[in-house]
């Protein structure tokens, strides 16, 4: 099993640098940096990380094909690859409708746009002159004037068609999920995409991009996961609740509690509304032994990389070290 770790660049560069170096020293193989317009620029932060680390693979987790042209994405990640001596990975997904609405980007034809962007980025990385007559992107003899190197492309995907696209075009798929049932459900679409491209499973990385919270004290770990779990619940489609047998009553209580938190500051109310089964379904939370158990189940459902996503634990530093000491070697 490979291990990755997600960081949101909502902290100063030196804090991010500290945590990523700690993760590298703790044995994590990948670090994925999220990309939303309202946080620090993903490539500026990756530049620092590329220069300050020596082993960990690094890249956006995930950027999108709306903010900037695929030519700029191809050039930016190739620059990180040069700065990091060949450790760059590109995570790209359809983007986030909520933040797009705020900056006037209309989220149309995400599948088509993702296909065209990934095809263009791959062609530019091959070093050739690229002409591409797409529905969305039109390129006429574009070319990078420096060697990109071999940069794996991972696609963020949840929906069935995007899962197929990820398997067809990507080197891996980053699935925002923490439970084996989600990966059982994704299997059919991943296999359909792999078959379409004539690829086998063992050349494809299935990544559980999970919310994780680890602590020696399991209760503390689980409590620390509640706010993140609440946001995941609030943003998940109903099909997910059916899959996990979670009542819409409980879901609506969480959505209402989040509303109250935003309007009246009642954050304790959010934690109260999150149930134990929600924590189990939407996060990997608990003691190291419990987390190891869940990772074994995920491996059986075809997962080949687990990414420790927010909150990582009640104390980020201690949890990163605990994962490195007790979970990665297990
Ligand atoms: C678009 C959407 O695809 P999806 O796979 O569910 O995408 C949801 C998320 O993956 C996407 O929002 C990601 O960008 C979210 N995301 C992040 N999004 C961000 O903006 N920033 C991040 O840092 C980020 C991290 C991240 C990490 C892992 C991960 O899995 C996702 C992450 C969807 O609806 N897919 C449907 C298909 C929709 C469809 O058919 N659309 C048609 C028509 C639509 C139209 O008419 O506009 C088309 O595209 O042509 C499907 O897969 O079946």
């Amino acid at each position: 099993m490979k291990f990755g770790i997600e960081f949101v660049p909502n902290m100063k560069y030196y804090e991010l640098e500290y945590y990523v170096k700690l993760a590298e020293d703790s044995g994590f193989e990948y670090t994925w940096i999220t990309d939303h317009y309202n946080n620090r620029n993903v490539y500026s932060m990756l530049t620092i990380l590329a220069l300050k680390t020596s082993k960990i693979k690094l890249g956006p987790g995930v950027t999108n094909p709306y903010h900037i042209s695929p030519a700029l994405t191809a050039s930016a990640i190739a620059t990180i690859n040069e700065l990091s001596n060949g450790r760059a990975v590109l995570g790209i997904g359809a983007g986030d409708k909520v933040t797009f609405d705020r900056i006037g980007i209309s989220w149309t034809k995400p599948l088509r746009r993702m296909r065209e962007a990934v095809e263009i980025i791959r062609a530019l990385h091959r070093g050739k002159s690229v002409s591409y007559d797409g529905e969305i992107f039109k390129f006429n003899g574009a070319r990078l004037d420096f060697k990109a190197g071999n940069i794996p492309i991972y696609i963020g995907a949840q929906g069935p068609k995007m899962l197929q696209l990820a398997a067809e075009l990507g080197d891996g798929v980053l699935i925002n999920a923490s439970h084996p049932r989600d990966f059982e459900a994704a299997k059919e679409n991943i296999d359909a995409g792999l078959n379409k491209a004539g690829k086998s499973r063992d050349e494809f990385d299935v990544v559980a991009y999970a919310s994780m919270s680890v602590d020696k004290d399991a209760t503390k770990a689980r409590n620390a996961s509640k706010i993140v779990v609440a946001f995941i619940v609030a943003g998940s489609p109903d099909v997910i609740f059916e899959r996990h047998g979670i009542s819409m009553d409980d879901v609506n209580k969480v959505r209402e509690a989040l509303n109250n938190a935003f309007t009246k500051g009642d954050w304790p109310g959010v934690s109260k509304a999150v149930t134990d089964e929600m924590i189990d379904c939407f996060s990997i939370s608990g003691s190291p032994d419990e987390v190891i158990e869940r990772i074994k189940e995920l491996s059986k459902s075809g997962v080949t990389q687990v990414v420790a996503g927010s909150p990582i634990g009640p104390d980020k530093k201690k949890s990163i070290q605990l994962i490195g000491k007790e979970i990665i070697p297990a």
Side-chain angles (χ1 to χ4, degrees):
M1 182 65 79
K2 295 186 281 276
F3 285 85
I5 189 163
E6 174 212 52
F7 289 107
V8 178
N10 55 5
M11 55 181 100
K12 298 276 188 218
Y13 79 88
Y14 45 80
E15 292 171 290
L16 184 65
E17 178 196 328
Y18 169 79
Y19 283 122
V20 172
K21 278 166 75 171
L22 181 68
E24 180 176 64
D25 295 343
S26 303
F28 284 89
E29 203 176 331
Y30 290 81
T31 190
W32 301 95
I33 309 298
T34 63
D35 180 10
H36 299 90
Y37 83 90
N38 49 301
N39 287 323
R40 290 161 184 77
N41 179 272
V42 64
Y43 292 113
S44 308
M45 299 305 250
L46 282 166
T47 299
I48 305 269
L49 299 175
L51 297 172
K52 298 282 188 175
T53 58
S54 56
K55 285 182 301 200
I56 201 163
K57 297 183 184 89
L58 67 167
V62 296
T63 189
N64 65 75
Y66 292 86
H67 278 170
I68 55 176
S69 156
L72 276 291
T73 299
S75 161
I77 198 64
T79 308
I80 299 298
N81 204 37
E82 184 176 82
L83 290 168
S84 66
N85 270 324
R87 290 183 283 129
V89 283
L90 176 64
I92 186 166
D96 174 39
K97 187 168 176 340
V98 173
T99 46
F100 282 178
D101 284 350
R102 294 205 190 108
I103 53 177
I105 292 180
S106 55
W107 204 36
T108 51
K109 297 207 171 298
L111 277 178
R112 167 56 36 205
R113 188 175 275 259
M114 278 291 291
R115 174 178 289 280
E116 294 190 6
V118 173
E119 288 175 345
I120 288 168
I121 293 165
R122 281 219 191 278
L124 287 167
H125 283 171
R126 281 195 288 271
K128 297 218 174 14
S129 148
V130 177
S131 292
Y132 189 97
D133 186 17
E135 211 182 299
I136 296 168
F137 297 109
K138 305 224 181 267
F139 276 47
N140 314 295
R143 176 209 296 272
L144 293 185
D145 287 343
F146 66 106
K147 271 198 171 329
N150 172 30
I151 303 169
I153 298 181
Y154 283 63
I155 294 178
Q158 329 302 334
K161 293 182 198 155
M162 199 63 85
L163 285 168
Q164 288 187 31
L165 185 81
E168 182 197 340
L169 299 185
D171 298 291
V173 60
L174 303 168
I175 304 178
N176 249 339
S178 310
H179 197 283
R181 277 194 289 263
D182 298 308
F183 294 90
E184 290 305 333
K187 257 191 185 140
E188 186 192 336
N189 288 301
I190 291 174
D191 288 342
L194 290 172
N195 294 340
K196 189 171 172 195
K199 290 182 329 196
S200 71
R201 267 250 172 187
D202 46 27
E203 51 190 314
F204 189 69
D205 202 359
V206 177
V207 183
Y209 205 96
S211 165
M212 189 177 280
S213 182
V214 195
D215 192 274
K216 284 200 178 307
D217 177 339
T219 312
K220 257 175 83 182
R222 291 172 72 85
N223 286 337
S225 73
K226 289 186 170 181
I227 300 294
V228 173
V229 168
F231 276 99
I232 296 172
V233 166
S236 294
D238 293 359
V239 63
I240 304 287
F241 306 120
E242 283 148 37
R243 181 184 301 158
H244 293 294
I246 291 182
S247 82
M248 285 314 290
D249 252 4
D250 287 346
V251 172
N252 293 329
K253 280 185 197 137
V254 169
R255 288 178 174 156
E256 205 189 309
L258 268 174
N259 255 335
N260 291 339
F262 279 117
T263 47
K264 301 179 203 125
D266 175 15
W267 290 98
V270 175
S271 298
K272 254 205 311 287
V274 172
T275 64
D276 269 342
E277 59 176 349
M278 287 175 181
I279 295 174
D280 289 334
C281 292
F282 295 108
S283 79
I284 307 178
S285 296
S287 68
D289 286 347
E290 289 168 326
V291 170
I292 290 167
E293 245 346 275
R294 170 60 66 86
I295 291 171
K296 281 188 189 143
E297 290 162 19
L298 286 169
S299 170
K300 283 190 206 122
S301 62
V303 170
T304 48
Q305 178 181 159
V306 171
V307 170
S310 319
I312 306 178
D315 175 319
K316 214 193 283 271
K317 176 184 172 194
K318 274 203 216 134
S319 299
I320 291 173
Q321 290 169 323
L322 193 56
I323 296 169
K325 216 159 118 253
E326 298 196 19
I327 296 173
I328 293 178

